[in-house]
Amino acid sequence: MSDLPALPVTFRPGRTRAVLLTAGAAIFVVITTVALLLEKLGPGERLSFVFTGALMFGVLALLARVRVVADDAGVTVVNIASRRRLEWAEIIQVNLRPGDPWVFLNLSDGTSLPALGIQPGIAKQQAIADARALRALVEARGTRDLP
């Protein structure tokens, strides 16, 4: 197929990622600035403000790390707190139904794996295109390893 993306390819919610990282940085800067400007705070209290801002940025950065990476050997799904490597033949179907918050991968072991790296939140058309591209890759490569 000529419409298949070149491998390796990374699918990630670019706009959502930009919003999360920008918001995280802004929150950190505002909380740190407030900590430095409040004259009645002691050093420990200032440090706790800065730590809270850093913690908030860290949570938003963790949310922004989601992605789906496809290469010659298979697919790596990186979600908020987990990473899973799949061989092409393990993926039976790629689903993004209307109303789904992200793509779901139906696997050969009968389970379903959410792939948060493709989500229609802010950029619905991009998510649909990414889901179609991943589906085409699964269809083209998934049967190679089957007897």
Side-chain angles (χ1 to χ4, degrees):
M1 276 186 183
S2 60
D3 60 338
L4 290 177
L7 296 178
V9 62
T10 300
F11 302 104
R12 67 175 68 212
R15 289 182 188 164
T16 301
R17 179 178 164 84
V19 167
L20 289 170
L21 293 175
T22 301
I27 289 168
F28 176 74
V29 168
V30 167
I31 290 177
T32 300
T33 302
V34 167
L36 297 175
L37 293 177
L38 290 176
E39 296 174 4
K40 294 187 178 190
L41 294 181
E45 293 168 318
R46 289 181 202 272
L47 187 61
S48 70
F49 267 71
V50 173
F51 177 76
T52 300
L55 184 63
M56 289 179 166
F57 177 80
V59 167
L60 292 176
L62 196 60
L63 293 172
R65 78 180 210 123
V66 298
R67 64 187 174 278
V68 177
V69 181
D71 58 33
D72 287 325
V75 175
T76 303
V77 177
V78 179
N79 287 331
I80 296 169
S82 66
R83 175 187 303 258
R84 183 161 176 197
R85 180 73 182 161
L86 301 165
E87 300 297 322
W88 285 110
E90 291 180 78
I91 304 170
I92 303 300
Q93 189 176 28
V94 177
N95 288 317
L96 181 60
R97 295 172 299 237
D100 280 351
W102 40 72
V103 161
F104 289 91
L105 304 177
N106 291 342
L107 305 178
S108 60
D109 65 1
T111 63
S112 181
L113 176 68
L116 279 63
I118 303 175
Q119 50 183 269
I122 296 175
K124 183 177 182 178
Q125 294 307 316
Q126 183 62 48
I128 292 169
D130 289 350
R132 286 181 179 151
L134 183 58
R135 183 178 299 129
L137 285 168
V138 166
E139 289 171 358
R141 295 179 159 273
T143 56
R144 283 189 188 177
D145 299 332
L146 297 177

